[in-house]
């Protein structure tokens, strides 16, 4: 039997949570994914009182008036601000749990592989404070492999690369367990930061995080495209201090992202080098599955395939992979590995 699996699964009300650096998703047993919101909380600066959570709070990022601050309580996959993350988790759990009348509510929360016991305790405590009866964790790479339907219970190896907002997790899974994993503190946030730096260096223009993220989604790519794209970008001139706009090309964005992409390729490469030869040879046939929002970057599958010479494919609905994995676990009361 999978040793990660908690014993609470016979509970009738269960929710699965992907508490991500960028997005939090919630799966309600019997219903499916019922919530997907940015992991952002807007707080009043003086009183420290939360004003908005999720999408409403994200709209305020970088745009808040002096008295309000929009905070992302998760950094690099783990809780960076305990109080605010607890508020956020409580808000999300309560919103979904209303549908269950809170009776015998258990939660299964996906956490990064390699999380410390203290970090794990903090996540569980936040859930208990939100009023759940039972809380357990599952390793994110395992959840995301299950979520995209990889045959994790077989002895032949599967590799999953989950490129999230804060981290990229690379894992090799065999017989329902993680045989090798590594977590890299490079993800979509680092991509955005690289775009901000590039625009600053090349154009003396300061742009915000949300603008950088929009550029990445609109014209970002990992490999040259048949038709390259351009996008008008507005920001503040660093010399005159006035608003100014420039036109940025997809080639430039690719250049900005090159170092981050190389770091991800290195992590995949070294995982392949360090795993058992039998597992590595399975991957020649099975290839590498991509999940997480970063898997949506144009051409990232081809980029990693060129770098590793292995087949690479993007899983269905990659941003829901982890939460769907928690869903599979909580739906099957007697989930067993054969
Ligand atoms: N089309 C796209 N192209 C490139 N990046 C994208 C696209 N769509 C979303 N992203 C990026 O994906 C990231 C969010 O992915 P995801 O929701 O999987 O992260 P997360 O689970 O919250 O983070 P983590 O797993 O690191 O805690 C963001 O950085 C976002 O900008
Ligand atoms: Mg994630």
């Amino acid at each position: 039997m999978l040793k990660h699996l908690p014993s609470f699964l016979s509970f009738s009300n269960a929710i699965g949570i992907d508490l991500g650096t960028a997005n939090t998703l919630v799966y309600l047993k019997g219903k499916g994914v019922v919530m997907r919101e940015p992991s952002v909380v807007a707080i009043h600066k003086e009183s420290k009182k939360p004003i908005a959570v999720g999408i409403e709070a994200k709209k305020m990022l970088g745009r808040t008036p002096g008295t309000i601050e929009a905070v992302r309580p998760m950094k690099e996959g783990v809780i960076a601000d305990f109080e605010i993350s607890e508020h956020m988790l409580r808000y999300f759990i309560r919103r979904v749990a209303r549908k269950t009348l809170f009776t015998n509510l258990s939660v299964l929360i996906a956490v990064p592989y390699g999380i410390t016991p203290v970090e794990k305790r903090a996540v569980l405590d936040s859930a208990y404070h939100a009023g759940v009866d039972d809380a357990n964790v599952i390793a994110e790479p395992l959840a995301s492999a299950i979520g995209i339907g990889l045959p994790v219970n077989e002895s032949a190896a599967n590799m999953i690369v989950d490129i999230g907002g804060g981290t990229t997790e690379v894992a090799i899974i065999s017989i329902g367990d993680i045989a090798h994993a590594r977590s890299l503190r490079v993800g979509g946030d680092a991509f955005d930061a690289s775009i901000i730096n590039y625009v600053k260096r090349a154009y003396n223009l300061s742009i915000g995080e949300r603008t950088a993220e929009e550029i990445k989604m609109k014209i970002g790519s990992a490999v040259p495209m048949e038709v390259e794209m351009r996008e008008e970008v507005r920001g503040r001139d660093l010399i005159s201090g006035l608003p100014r706009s420039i036109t940025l090309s997809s080639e430039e964005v690719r250049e900005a992202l090159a170092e981050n992409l190389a770091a991800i390729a290195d992590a995949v490469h070294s995982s392949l080098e360090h795993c058992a030869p039998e597992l590595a040879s399975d991957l020649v046939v099975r290839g590498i599955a991509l999940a997480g929002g970063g898997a949506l970057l144009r051409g990232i599958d081809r980029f990693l395939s060129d770098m590793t010479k292995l087949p690479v494919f993007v899983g269905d609905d990659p941003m829901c992979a982890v939460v769907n994995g928690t869903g599979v676990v909580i739906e099957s009361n007697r989930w067993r590995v054969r």
Side-chain angles (χ1 to χ4, degrees):
M1 183 170 132
L2 265 188
K3 52 181 182 227
H4 303 275
L5 283 185
S7 57
F8 75 128
L9 298 170
S10 55
F11 274 56
S12 50
N13 283 320
I15 58 179
I17 303 181
D18 173 8
L19 186 62
T21 307
N23 298 296
T24 298
L25 292 87
V26 182
Y27 186 106
L28 177 59
K29 187 177 177 186
K31 289 268 192 295
V33 180
V34 290
M35 205 206 78
R36 174 170 153 178
E37 296 262 351
S39 308
V40 184
V41 181
I43 53 168
H44 196 275
K45 265 190 194 157
E46 269 171 29
S47 67
K48 299 278 173 226
K49 275 220 168 104
I51 297 167
V53 180
I55 183 83
E56 288 310 313
K58 185 171 184 184
K59 283 185 195 154
M60 298 180 187
L61 262 186
R63 273 224 181 93
T64 50
T67 50
I68 301 173
E69 189 183 6
V71 182
R72 290 179 51 186
M74 309 292 295
K75 293 253 152 63
E76 297 173 341
V78 294
I79 293 179
D81 187 316
F82 286 92
E83 223 171 289
I84 298 177
S85 72
E86 190 170 313
H87 176 85
M88 185 176 79
L89 192 60
R90 194 163 53 225
Y91 174 89
F92 289 147
I93 289 179
R94 292 201 172 156
R95 215 171 88 186
V96 171
R98 256 188 254 132
K99 300 181 205 288
T100 71
L101 303 174
F102 270 98
T103 46
N104 272 349
L105 181 64
S106 41
V107 295
L108 178 60
I109 304 177
V111 294
Y113 182 80
I115 186 174
T116 67
V118 174
E119 288 165 340
K120 181 170 150 186
R121 192 70 252 162
V123 172
L124 292 174
D125 283 348
S126 297
Y128 284 119
H129 290 165
V132 305
D133 298 293
D134 195 14
N136 282 277
V137 296
I138 180 170
E140 271 172 21
L142 188 59
S144 85
I146 295 170
I148 59 174
L150 297 183
V152 293
N153 297 341
E154 292 178 5
S155 59
N158 292 282
M159 184 182 227
I160 177 102
V161 178
D162 184 320
I163 307 170
T167 56
T168 294
E169 304 219 328
V170 180
I172 296 170
I173 294 167
S174 162
I175 325 180
D177 206 349
I178 293 175
H180 169 92
R182 53 175 302 184
S183 181
L184 184 72
R185 303 207 156 187
V186 172
D189 290 344
F191 293 0
D192 301 345
S194 297
I195 294 173
I196 291 174
N197 285 336
Y198 179 91
V199 174
K200 198 178 276 172
R201 261 199 336 266
Y203 295 97
N204 269 324
L205 192 74
S206 164
I207 59 169
E209 280 172 29
R210 287 194 54 205
T211 305
E213 186 182 29
E214 273 167 31
I215 297 170
K216 173 183 73 180
M217 290 178 180
K218 278 194 183 149
I219 63 169
S221 61
V223 291
M225 293 184 288
E226 266 177 34
V227 183
E228 297 288 353
M229 295 180 280
R230 308 186 157 271
E231 178 73 10
E232 189 184 317
V233 178
R234 287 192 295 272
R236 187 165 48 82
D237 190 289
L238 283 168
I239 296 163
S240 71
L242 297 173
R244 181 163 69 93
S245 74
I246 56 155
T247 303
L248 206 61
S249 71
S250 45
E251 288 100 328
E252 288 176 288
V253 177
R254 201 157 51 242
E255 191 186 324
L257 300 180
E259 218 171 289
N260 299 139
L261 292 171
I264 292 175
D266 271 358
V268 173
H269 207 261
S270 87
S271 295
L272 291 167
E273 273 174 2
H274 288 101
C275 74
E278 290 81 5
L279 300 180
S281 66
D282 292 339
L283 297 173
V284 175
V285 182
R286 298 212 163 192
I288 301 172
L290 302 184
L296 296 170
L297 184 73
R298 284 175 198 82
I300 188 136
D301 44 353
R302 235 184 65 212
F303 171 79
L304 287 174
S305 175
D306 288 349
M307 302 299 282
T308 57
K309 309 289 177 239
L310 294 179
V312 177
F313 60 96
V314 179
D316 283 343
D317 206 358
M319 286 179 89
C320 289
V322 170
V323 81
N324 280 337
T326 66
V328 171
V329 174
I330 61 181
E331 291 292 356
S332 68
N333 293 337
R334 299 164 143 261
W335 209 60
R336 292 280 191 283
V337 172
R338 284 176 201 282

